[in-house]
């Protein structure tokens, strides 16, 4: 089976077992030492499980604010991230977490837990961006791997990006198992993926 078909089969397996997964996305203070200031979680039926903003303990960078529109002033009356840690540990992280660019969001989780002197348990996760990049099949000779793909339909809100991630999984699952798909056939944005905020 080729790599694209393997990605399709992965997506179909995910959707066949929805009770085992949540989709998670974050917005953060920036790329360096990212502190989570918005977190969204949905199930595979698209139901909103968590949609919460947080008052950060660090400053939001200008570059991040330009992308997601969140500022320290705007978030001044929101609860601290600490208020959600117990629920994340006892409920959300009991399932496998699907994340678009999981490396960044997991790093943000680790850093934010550290800010509150809390230990992040092992979070079983799977990177949807990796599977979608494999599905698209644009090879990057320099990296020796598939070219990262921007999240199609993402709006730089945590819940909006969760829903966009679910749409990508469904799109792959509904695709035909066949060889030779042309990138021009895909109605999705194939620009290089910027680092997530």
């Amino acid at each position: 089976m080729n790599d694209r078909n393997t990605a399709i089969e992965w997506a179909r397996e995910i959707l066949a077992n929805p009770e085992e997964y949540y989709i998670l996305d974050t917005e953060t203070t920036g790329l360096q030492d990212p502190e989570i200031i918005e977190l969204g979680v949905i199930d595979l039926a698209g139901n909103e499980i968590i949609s919460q903003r947080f008052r950060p303990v660090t400053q939001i960078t200008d570059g991040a604010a330009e992308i997601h529109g969140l500022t320290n002033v705007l978030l001044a009356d929101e609860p601290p991230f600490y208020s959600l840690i117990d629920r994340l540990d006892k409920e959300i992280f009991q399932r496998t977490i699907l994340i678009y660019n999981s490396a960044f969001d997991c790093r943000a989780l680790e850093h934010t837990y550290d800010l509150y002197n809390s230990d992040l348990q092992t979070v079983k996760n799977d990177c949807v961006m990796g599977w979608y990049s494999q599905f698209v099949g644009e090879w990057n000779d320099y990296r020796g791997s598939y070219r990262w793909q921007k999240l199609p339909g993402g709006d730089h809100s945590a819940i909006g990006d969760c829903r966009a991630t679910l749409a990508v999984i469904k799109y792959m699952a509904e695709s035909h198992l066949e060889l030779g798909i042309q990138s021009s056939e895909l109605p999705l944005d194939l620009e290089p993926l910027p680092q997530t905020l």
Side-chain angles (χ1 to χ4, degrees):
M1 183 177 293
N2 66 28
D3 286 351
R4 178 179 176 275
N5 286 352
T6 301
I8 292 171
E9 293 287 13
W10 170 83
R12 291 177 178 178
E13 179 70 16
I14 294 293
L15 295 180
N17 298 281
E19 71 285 348
E20 297 180 15
Y21 302 95
Y22 284 128
I23 296 172
L24 177 147
D25 188 79
T26 68
E27 301 301 324
T28 71
T29 53
L31 296 176
Q32 290 280 27
D33 299 325
E35 179 185 355
I36 296 171
I37 54 176
E38 184 176 73
L39 186 140
V41 177
I42 64 172
D43 63 20
L44 269 63
N47 298 310
E48 187 176 297
I49 307 301
I50 295 174
S51 180
Q52 181 65 58
R53 291 178 173 177
F54 307 100
R55 179 179 68 250
V57 297
T58 57
Q59 285 296 309
I60 299 170
T61 66
D62 291 341
E66 287 177 14
I67 291 173
H68 51 51
L70 302 176
T71 65
N72 289 80
V73 172
L74 182 66
L75 301 176
D77 294 327
E78 298 293 345
F81 183 84
Y82 180 82
S83 63
L84 191 64
I85 285 178
D86 192 55
R87 184 177 178 198
L88 289 174
D89 290 345
K90 292 181 178 178
E91 177 187 343
I92 303 305
F93 295 154
Q94 300 310 304
R95 297 190 185 189
T96 298
I97 308 301
L98 304 173
I99 307 172
Y100 205 91
N101 193 3
S102 62
F104 180 84
D105 288 72
C106 288
R107 182 161 62 92
L109 281 165
E110 289 175 7
H111 179 68
T112 307
Y113 267 65
D114 285 347
L115 287 173
Y116 289 97
N117 297 312
S118 296
D119 293 323
L120 177 65
Q121 63 180 284
T122 299
V123 178
K124 186 177 178 184
N125 67 88
D126 208 342
C127 184
V128 179
M129 182 182 72
W131 286 105
Y132 180 58
S133 298
Q134 181 174 313
F135 170 84
V136 172
E138 293 184 349
W139 190 255
N140 184 320
D141 286 327
Y142 178 76
R143 293 182 180 272
S145 62
Y146 289 110
R147 180 185 175 199
W148 291 352
Q149 301 295 323
K150 181 179 179 181
L151 175 61
D155 65 0
H156 299 297
S157 73
I159 283 293
D161 287 355
C162 283
R163 297 195 190 286
T165 299
L166 178 58
V168 166
I169 296 169
K170 289 181 175 179
Y171 179 77
M172 288 192 289
E174 293 165 2
S175 298
H176 295 292
L177 291 168
E178 59 187 12
L179 298 174
I181 190 167
Q182 301 297 313
S183 60
S184 60
E185 296 177 54
L186 295 171
L188 300 174
D189 184 358
L190 301 179
E191 293 299 315
L193 181 74
Q195 290 183 298
T196 307
L197 292 176

